[in-house]
Amino acid sequence: YAPYLADRRVLGVAEAMFGHHVRISFTTAHINYPGNDRGGWHSDWPFNQTVASHIPAPYADVVMHLSSLFMLTHFNAESGGTLIVPGSHLLPDNPSGENGVDRDMPHPEEINVVGGPGDVFLYDSRLWHSVAENNSDQPRVAMTVRYAPWWLNLNVQREGHPDHIRIVVETKGKDSVNP
């Protein structure tokens, strides 16, 4: 899978945003089985206000982290393609904080991410998104990969690192990696 993470079509976007010294900050698989429930609106780390190591809102109007979904199966309304609110990455907060938006309710501007196996959805990590219900008879599968600039402190996500201990463990806060 590693060659895809550094594919020029993806890494080129990250380098255009952050410069030549880009790091992969997170990888995981997501499988949404048929019948899964809808999730709550949120933004990815470091903007998710429910985790201890978040950037406090209001956010600066600058891209500080990129998230991506490498689609391994079809994404559409039936299979539960991730829900997004277009343009929400430009707002100073997200529903994981106290911005008055009910994170569990549908948003009037929401749309499903649509694509097929091999497609990649790359987005500013501030973008509001949510797990969608999978009404198909097949799992919806993706790899999530996040890209960070050299200057973003990733140590807060490393178990055992002094930054993680001080900011997450000692405060008994929610971890962004192992919630």
Side-chain angles (χ1 to χ4, degrees), residues 8 55 71 111 160 166 178:
R8 293 306 318 156
I55 294 173
M71 299 174 207
I111 61 171
R166 181 173 46 83
N178 300 310

Side-chain angles (χ1 to χ4, degrees), residues 10-147:
V10 175
L11 196 56
V13 173
E15 288 176 345
M17 296 291 187
F18 305 136
H20 183 66
H21 302 289
V22 172
R23 303 184 288 174
I24 291 176
S25 62
F26 178 84
T27 60
T28 194
H30 287 288
I31 304 173
N32 291 352
Y33 292 99
N36 72 286
D37 293 331
R38 181 187 175 107
W41 292 110
H42 65 282
S43 294
D44 288 335
W45 183 87
F47 305 102
N48 187 322
Q49 300 297 290
T50 67
V51 298
S53 61
H54 68 274
I55 294 173
Y59 312 129
D61 186 17
V62 62
V63 180
M64 291 187 250
H65 204 230
L66 290 173
S67 297
S68 65
L69 293 171
F70 284 75
M71 299 174 207
L72 302 179
T73 59
H74 288 283
F75 270 54
N76 55 45
E78 183 182 10
S79 69
T82 302
L83 293 165
I84 63 168
V85 177
S88 59
H89 64 290
L90 300 173
L91 299 172
D93 197 354
N94 69 72
S96 69
E98 299 296 325
N99 71 346
V101 173
D102 185 340
R103 63 183 307 209
D104 296 318
M105 293 299 294
H107 191 281
E109 297 174 30
E110 71 184 39
I111 61 171
N112 287 97
V113 172
V114 176
D119 289 341
V120 179
F121 176 58
L122 187 63
Y123 58 99
D124 184 319
S125 295
R126 296 175 293 174
L127 185 72
W128 300 6
H129 58 282
S130 175
V131 172
E133 294 175 356
N134 183 346
N135 296 313
S136 75
D137 60 356
Q138 297 293 314
R140 201 253 311 136
V141 183
M143 288 289 297
T144 295
V145 180
R146 297 188 189 138
Y147 297 86

